[in-house]
Amino acid sequence: MPVAVAVRPKRARFVLDYKKDKCCNNCGYKKNTEILQFHHTKGDKYFSVGSAIGNKKNEIIKAEMDKCVLLCPNCHFLLHSHKKDLNKGFD
């Protein structure tokens, strides 16, 4: 088995563990934290966190996650579709 395939589940668990006990930064949703999505707010986006699970080390993934807030899929979609500022809400 290639190393990347063997390591992927551990890195996926690392990302899921990061989300555990957190909630949507906008609406507070926290029922199923595994569906929370990373939204970049600080610094340059080097890569998408989800795409890095197979080929980046945990330390590099963590550094990218630290540039993000967690959003539920609904808030993340609304943010991008309406170009809303998180600090102003979605009224």
Side-chain angles (χ1 to χ4, degrees), residues 8-77:
R8 186 175 175 86
K10 291 179 183 176
R11 291 194 183 132
R13 174 58 44 204
F14 174 76
V15 172
L16 289 174
D17 287 345
Y18 178 88
K19 294 178 181 182
K20 188 176 180 181
D21 299 324
K22 292 186 173 59
C23 65
C24 175
N25 194 26
N26 187 61
C27 73
Y29 176 85
K30 61 183 176 181
K31 185 175 180 181
N32 297 306
T33 58
E34 65 274 5
I35 71 166
L36 296 176
Q37 300 172 347
F38 291 95
H39 174 72
H40 285 80
T41 59
K42 297 181 262 180
D44 295 328
K45 180 177 179 178
Y46 181 58
F47 57 83
S48 170
V49 173
S51 68
I53 291 172
N55 60 3
K56 304 264 190 254
K57 293 184 178 183
N58 286 351
E59 298 80 24
I60 296 170
I61 295 171
K62 173 74 167 72
E64 199 68 19
M65 291 189 299
D66 288 343
K67 298 179 193 176
C68 301
V69 295
L70 288 170
L71 296 174
C72 71
N74 288 339
C75 288
H76 201 194
F77 175 79

Side-chain angles (χ1 to χ4, degrees), residues 77-86 90:
F77 175 79
L78 288 171
L79 177 74
H80 285 285
S81 67
H82 298 294
K83 308 279 192 260
K84 296 285 184 177
D85 182 344
L86 279 176
F90 297 120

